[in-house]
Amino acid sequence: MRKLILLATMALAAAVLPSALASAAPAPAAQPATTAAAPTAAQLLAKTNSCKQISNGKYKTDEDVSAKTVAVCDANGAVFWKADMDIDCDGQRSTQCNEDTDCCYQDDTAFHQSDGKPLNAAKLPYIVVPSSSSIWKYSSSQLKGGGSCAVIYNGKVEYAVIGDTGPTQIIGEASYATAKDLGINPDPSNGGTDSGVTYICFKNSTVSPIENHANAVSKGEGLATTFVNNN
């Protein structure tokens, strides 16, 4: 009898032990939430097919052309324009950007880094907006220095900041670094492209510090997603 009781006790323990161990085992670690992919170039461009013009007239793409062909367009949460890309090499001197490489080089930019220095066109992707005029005042569209922009060319998207201002009659310019990242010849003397660039700048946005490109990408991707969803 004692042997039978012992065997029964052992059988009961064998049945209970696995479930007890299972309940005592730590729960599997929670998997991190999947980050939504940023919009593609095609998704962004699809939202710029029509233009609600807010500029008072249009801009030229270059000083030596007479035709004014580029309008600034309004959208929900952003403004955009479609133009060329001239190369801005102003700001901090570098191997790529200096008086020898750029005939029109200037050692300053309209907006500065957090340490007070001009921006570095060779390293920082930024775009140039036209200086305020009767055609358009960028500040009236809730844009400002350090604002977030998406620049699209040939199926690629580059997230950049508003880093400099240019002539009042011309639009379509970005830094050496912006062009390079998009696969456009960045040489200030013979680079750039004559067409095919779309600039989308997000209203009431700021990248801080302005020189932190990783922050520009993170913020830009989020704002681009909102732009695609709301237009």
Side-chain angles (χ1 to χ4, degrees):
M1 176 65 74
R2 186 179 300 170
K3 186 177 295 186
L4 290 175
I5 293 173
L6 180 60
L7 289 173
T9 301
M10 292 174 63
L12 179 61
V16 172
L17 187 58
S19 60
L21 288 174
S23 62
Q31 297 299 311
T34 302
T35 303
T40 63
Q43 288 173 320
L44 288 167
L45 291 176
K47 304 299 181 177
T48 65
N49 285 332
S50 61
C51 176
K52 179 183 177 183
Q53 184 172 330
I54 55 172
S55 56
N56 182 27
K58 297 182 178 181
Y59 287 96
K60 298 192 298 182
T61 55
D62 290 292
E63 187 67 45
D64 58 354
V65 301
S66 57
K68 298 180 178 181
T69 58
V70 181
V72 177
C73 311
D74 194 33
N76 189 3
V79 299
F80 65 88
W81 57 93
K82 300 181 180 184
D84 64 341
M85 182 183 287
D86 297 324
I87 307 302
D88 188 319
C89 234
D90 294 339
Q92 295 184 39
R93 286 180 180 82
S94 62
T95 302
Q96 300 87 350
C97 296
N98 55 65
E99 294 88 345
D100 295 329
T101 62
D102 184 0
C103 66
C104 307
Y105 172 78
Q106 298 180 50
D107 62 359
D108 200 5
T109 49
F111 308 107
H112 292 169
Q113 296 181 165
S114 55
D115 61 3
K117 294 180 180 179
L119 302 182
N120 188 329
K123 292 184 177 181
L124 180 67
Y126 69 74
I127 75 155
V128 181
V129 293
S131 295
S132 296
S133 71
S134 59
I135 301 176
W136 178 56
K137 295 181 180 180
Y138 64 87
S139 59
S140 297
S141 294
Q142 292 79 56
L143 303 185
K144 55 187 174 182
S148 175
C149 302
V151 187
I152 302 129
Y153 176 76
N154 198 25
K156 296 181 180 179
V157 182
E158 173 72 306
Y159 291 100
V161 293
I162 296 174
D164 205 357
T165 56
T168 58
Q169 306 290 318
I170 299 172
I171 202 167
E173 188 175 5
S175 69
Y176 182 106
T178 306
K180 182 180 178 182
D181 288 354
L182 286 170
I184 296 170
N185 178 3
D187 191 315
S189 64
N190 59 25
T193 184
D194 290 335
S195 62
V197 184
T198 299
Y199 303 79
I200 303 172
C201 289
F202 305 109
K203 299 176 182 178
N204 297 309
S205 64
T206 304
V207 174
S208 182
I210 188 173
E211 68 269 20
N212 190 317
H213 182 52
N215 286 355
V217 172
S218 177
K219 179 173 283 290
E221 288 179 344
L223 291 168
T225 298
T226 300
F227 172 76
V228 167
N229 291 337
N230 291 349
N231 284 278

